[in-house]
Amino acid sequence: MSKWIRRKRNSWGYGVQSPNDFYFVQHVLRERSPYYGYETLRELEQQYRPHLPSYSSVTNQLLFRLANYAHLEHIIEVGAGISPFAMILGHPFAHLTAITTDEACSKTMESLFNAYPQASLKKGDEMDLFQQFISEHQSIGMLHIAHTEHYREIVDAALPYADSHTLIIIENLRASKEKQVWWKNLQESPRTGITYDLGHIGLLFFNRSRNKETYWINLRKRI
């Protein structure tokens, strides 16, 4: 059942029936107040954006808030750029693993990672490194699928290890018609729980004790 985010009677607003989901929409997805780490994030963007793949500042701030909200022990990003630092700033006590195949980017990122001992950078084949991560941890905490063409394979590998705390973030949902169809099927799949479509970013949760919902929230003007 899809939920279009509009104001309705007998709801918490934006068509959201659950107070928990309403809090998430209002105070995570749509939050406008500045956070403690935004200034540091802005400085990193200014310094490294010419050299590393990066999303807009608004998207990086959203990733910051998602990491802060989910507060999971392990964060992993496949197709790394500046965004790992947005997430580690959002949850400084997380163990973050960033995977990249781009040798030039990895050299630039190494100096950044030296400043964050709780973060590690893996260079090489994305799928091999992701499978190594799964084999080692046997679970998925917060997974950000960023600048990579292997989104489908990564999700297929991650799903058996997703639990009620897992959050998977998928970028560039509208990159192709094929990816849009794949995303729609993933939202409807019984393997996923509550999902959010934010325009070009998708969020997957896996708490199957809750009723399955599919929310669409227009954040395109913000992201």
Side-chain angles (χ1 to χ4, degrees):
M1 178 180 181
S2 293
K3 296 286 187 180
W4 293 82
I5 308 303
R6 300 190 182 112
R7 294 188 182 275
K8 297 180 181 178
R9 292 183 179 181
N10 304 319
S11 75
W12 288 82
Y14 305 106
V16 180
Q17 304 298 323
S18 162
N20 291 329
D21 294 346
F22 180 74
Y23 176 90
F24 180 69
V25 172
Q26 284 292 87
H27 299 289
V28 181
L29 300 184
R30 292 182 174 271
E31 179 61 67
R32 296 184 179 183
S33 301
Y35 277 72
Y36 56 87
Y38 280 5
E39 185 58 37
T40 301
L41 179 57
R42 189 158 33 247
E43 292 172 358
L44 289 173
E45 289 173 337
Q46 291 173 352
Q47 183 174 358
Y48 289 98
R49 181 166 277 152
H51 312 289
L52 293 173
S54 179
Y55 300 108
S56 71
S57 296
V58 177
T59 295
N60 287 332
Q61 289 173 9
L62 173 62
L63 292 170
F64 177 107
R65 297 195 301 274
L66 288 169
N68 183 270
Y69 169 81
H71 216 72
L72 294 168
E73 181 180 359
H74 292 286
I75 300 172
I76 180 168
E77 174 168 300
V78 182
I82 292 177
S83 41
F85 303 101
M87 294 183 288
I88 204 68
L89 287 169
H91 183 16
F93 301 105
H95 299 282
L96 184 144
T97 302
I99 294 173
T100 181
T101 60
D102 191 322
E103 188 65 28
C105 286
S106 67
K107 290 180 180 179
T108 303
M109 295 174 71
E110 283 175 354
S111 62
L112 271 168
F113 273 85
N114 289 336
Y116 297 91
Q118 70 275 48
S120 61
L121 176 64
K122 306 293 185 182
K123 299 169 287 184
D125 183 273
E126 290 174 344
M127 288 308 303
D128 286 347
L129 292 170
F130 186 67
Q131 290 287 2
Q132 289 175 22
F133 177 91
I134 290 176
S135 297
E136 179 181 350
H137 297 281
Q138 294 293 304
S139 65
I140 296 292
M142 180 172 168
L143 166 61
H144 181 219
I145 302 173
H147 308 278
T148 176
E149 297 179 353
H150 300 295
Y151 58 89
R152 185 190 298 267
E153 296 93 331
I154 293 164
V155 169
D156 286 344
L159 285 178
Y161 298 91
D163 60 29
S164 60
H165 302 292
T166 297
L167 168 59
I168 296 180
I169 306 164
I170 304 170
E171 297 279 356
N172 299 318
L173 295 182
R174 271 68 188 179
S176 67
K177 186 173 182 180
E178 178 185 7
K179 192 170 186 179
Q180 291 181 55
V181 172
W182 168 82
W183 166 247
K184 186 173 185 296
N185 291 336
L186 192 59
Q187 286 183 292
E188 296 173 351
S189 170
R191 298 181 297 174
T192 62
I194 294 173
T195 68
Y196 292 84
D197 187 322
L198 309 181
H200 79 269
I201 295 176
L203 308 179
L204 302 175
F205 290 92
F206 296 87
N207 187 347
R208 297 182 182 90
S209 67
R210 299 189 55 194
N211 292 332
K212 185 175 177 64
E213 300 281 5
T214 301
Y215 294 115
W216 184 89
I217 305 176
N218 185 0
L219 295 182
R220 283 174 293 183
K221 294 181 179 179
R222 300 167 181 262
I223 291 179

